[in-house]
Amino acid sequence: MAAALPTLATVFGLSKDGQLPDIGKIVQGFDFSKSDDYLHCDLAPSFGKLSAAGLQDMDDELKIMIAGTTKLIGDIPKEKRNWDSVMASCMQNFLMEPDGDAIARADKLIKKSSENFQTDGSPKDQIVQEVSTWFSNLVSDMDVLAATKIDINVLGRIVASSGATIDSFESFFAKHEHHEQTMLDIGILRYPDIDHPYFKKVYRIKLTAWSDSQRILFHQEDDNGITGEFNSRRFKPRESVIKGMSDKARGAAINAANNLFG
């Protein structure tokens, strides 16, 4: 008996509402007020405007790349799906190739006093706006910002949670100490859609709240802030390989793509 074709549901599972998971929904639905928890997702899909009907209208080469990539991701056990394993799978995927150089950016938003992040649950608009501008510059990709839905409201909740985290560090300070806590760490597989029909993108975003205290005699200096990391790699179909596929192999891959939504 032939093996069942992988679908998006079998690879990524379904959310509690019976729908396919999407990183935007995951981010918007997370409660950042839980100081002992953070948003950690090794790999979540982002479909944008992709639908079953839209997939049918895509170029065959793109369909073949999508089907092959989805199968390879499905072959990685969920507990082993992390940034390194997903990137290794993408780089070894003979159906696609990197489109441009890898992007790796890191930056810190530093404040000299924890008062900048202290909050009673309603962070100062000025600080939230500053964090929003800083985060947008870190990512510098409107598609990523739209897909993840890490908007000013989400960043406001992260700032509030960061403030509570930084406040909790203060009781531990003695001499020179550094404390940090991850607030968000997500990996995303961006599927092509009608607005971005030519490539597939894999990216990771990590935000960490931290505080550093140094006491010199009777003087204490405190630095605190948020560190952001952004990694991204874009891929396109490897035309030389896809064009060399047999008609049977091409047909099977296209059929698999057409049935990804089940």
Side-chain angles (χ1 to χ4, degrees):
M1 181 181 294
L5 294 174
T7 66
L8 295 172
T10 59
V11 172
F12 295 106
L14 297 175
S15 57
K16 292 180 180 179
D17 60 2
Q19 302 296 312
L20 286 170
D22 185 273
I23 190 59
K25 295 178 182 178
I26 294 172
V27 169
Q28 289 283 323
F30 187 76
D31 184 1
F32 287 96
S33 67
K34 297 178 180 178
S35 60
D36 59 342
D37 197 8
Y38 71 97
L39 178 52
H40 180 211
C41 184
D42 285 320
L43 184 70
S46 173
F47 299 110
K49 296 180 180 179
L50 183 64
S51 64
L55 188 55
Q56 308 295 320
D57 296 332
M58 282 189 171
D59 179 87
D60 284 348
E61 291 184 350
L62 200 56
K63 287 184 182 181
I64 292 171
M65 182 186 78
I66 291 172
T69 304
T70 302
K71 182 181 184 304
L72 287 176
I73 296 299
D75 289 340
I76 303 174
K78 289 186 178 181
E79 66 274 12
K80 294 184 179 180
R81 287 182 199 170
N82 53 43
W83 173 255
D84 291 333
S85 65
V86 170
M87 282 304 302
S89 177
C90 289
M91 295 299 292
Q92 295 166 12
N93 185 351
F94 64 91
L95 294 174
M96 66 184 190
E97 59 186 345
D99 183 14
D101 296 329
I103 295 173
R105 286 192 286 267
D107 194 19
K108 289 183 178 181
L109 179 64
I110 302 174
K111 295 297 180 183
K112 287 295 182 182
S113 170
S114 62
E115 292 180 358
N116 286 286
F117 285 98
Q118 285 176 347
T119 174
D120 59 0
S122 300
K124 297 177 181 178
D125 290 342
Q126 179 181 350
I127 296 299
V128 175
Q129 186 61 57
E130 184 177 353
V131 172
S132 179
T133 300
W134 167 81
F135 181 72
S136 296
N137 291 334
L138 171 71
V139 174
S140 296
D141 188 324
M142 292 304 296
D143 176 57
V144 172
L145 295 174
T148 59
K149 291 184 170 55
I150 303 178
D151 56 22
I152 195 165
N153 294 319
V154 169
L155 288 168
R157 302 206 305 270
I158 292 176
V159 168
S161 184
S162 298
T165 298
I166 290 169
D167 287 346
S168 71
F169 291 155
E170 294 182 351
S171 61
F172 297 105
F173 284 149
K175 295 184 179 179
H176 187 185
E177 293 194 8
H178 179 88
H179 297 273
E180 63 180 42
Q181 179 173 317
T182 302
M183 309 304 298
L184 177 147
D185 188 355
I186 54 177
I188 301 97
L189 180 64
R190 175 68 161 98
Y191 276 79
D193 63 11
I194 190 171
D195 292 335
H196 305 86
Y198 306 114
F199 58 82
K200 178 173 284 191
K201 190 186 301 180
V202 185
Y203 52 93
R204 180 191 183 197
I205 300 172
K206 184 177 182 179
L207 297 177
T208 304
W210 56 270
S211 188
D212 190 273
S213 178
Q214 183 172 359
R215 292 177 182 173
I216 304 175
L217 296 178
F218 297 103
H219 177 67
Q220 177 170 316
E221 293 183 356
D222 294 335
D223 286 346
N224 57 83
I226 302 176
T227 296
E229 301 173 50
F230 176 69
N231 300 86
S232 177
R233 197 76 197 253
R234 194 168 68 175
F235 295 88
K236 63 182 179 180
R238 194 186 298 270
E239 294 183 5
S240 60
V241 171
I242 294 176
K243 287 181 178 179
M245 294 173 65
S246 67
D247 290 342
K248 181 178 180 180
R250 285 178 62 90
I254 292 170
N255 182 52
N258 287 335
N259 288 281
L260 279 177
F261 281 90

